[in-house]
Amino acid sequence: MVCFFTKSNQIENLITINNKYSSLDELQIALQNSPNYSSTKEYDIWEQRLDNNGQMAQCLVLKKNNMHAVKLFFINENTLKANHIIPNKMMQAYFGKSQKAYHNVLEIITGKIKAVVLEPAQNKAFNEIEAEVIKLTS
């Protein structure tokens, strides 16, 4: 049995930042002093966005641990989009949101179980990291 599957809502938010932080590099420098998170500038493998030159776009990843991180990227000159991601590629493959259009029954059931077990921890980690970004960039 095959069911149509629509992409579920991700944990995300828009953050208006101070003009002082106009690039990912400046934002990374400001966020490097946080003792609770590590920050790296990486290619956006989660959404595979392209920049103006047709190359894979970059994002800033604030990592709490192997299961929780927030990906930040500019959608305009003073607005960041923050998405919860799983930074570990192996964990992302297993626990991440599937992009498949169709799922079999087993995939649907295990996906629901993962969502129930992981969602509270993901929300908590996202809110903590987002608060750190807002505190530093406002």
Side-chain angles (χ1 to χ4, degrees):
M1 178 176 172
V2 177
C3 298
F4 184 71
F5 178 81
T6 58
K7 187 177 176 183
S8 63
N9 292 338
Q10 293 182 354
I11 305 170
E12 60 185 37
N13 199 4
L14 298 178
I15 302 170
T16 303
I17 63 166
N18 190 328
N19 287 339
K20 181 168 109 173
Y21 305 107
S22 60
S23 72
L24 290 177
D25 292 325
E26 291 170 355
L27 190 59
Q28 182 179 15
I29 290 168
L31 294 170
Q32 279 182 337
N33 296 329
S34 176
N36 301 322
Y37 313 103
S38 64
S39 65
T40 57
K41 193 168 131 183
E42 300 181 20
Y43 288 104
D44 191 353
I45 61 167
W46 297 272
E47 288 183 47
Q48 299 177 353
R49 296 175 303 107
L50 299 178
D51 63 14
N52 294 335
N53 299 325
Q55 303 296 319
M56 188 178 279
Q58 291 187 321
C59 60
L60 191 63
V61 176
L62 290 176
K63 182 178 169 183
K64 183 174 181 178
N65 55 39
N66 281 337
M67 282 298 291
H68 304 295
V70 169
K71 172 184 73 162
L72 302 169
F73 60 93
F74 284 94
I75 59 170
N76 63 39
E77 62 186 46
N78 65 347
T79 306
L80 287 171
K81 185 171 185 181
N83 290 12
H84 178 275
I85 58 167
I86 299 172
N88 182 294
K89 289 167 184 63
M90 291 295 290
M91 299 297 249
Q92 171 67 24
Y94 186 71
F95 292 108
K97 301 289 183 194
S98 174
Q99 300 297 318
K100 290 170 51 177
Y102 296 95
H103 288 241
N104 64 36
V105 174
L106 184 58
E107 289 172 324
I108 293 170
I109 292 169
T110 57
K112 295 293 182 191
I113 292 169
K114 287 180 208 174
V116 168
V117 171
L118 290 178
E119 193 170 317
Q122 288 175 338
N123 282 328
K124 181 180 178 202
F126 179 81
N127 292 334
E128 288 174 4
I129 298 170
E130 181 187 38
E132 184 81 14
V133 172
I134 290 170
K135 181 175 73 175
L136 289 172
T137 60
S138 297

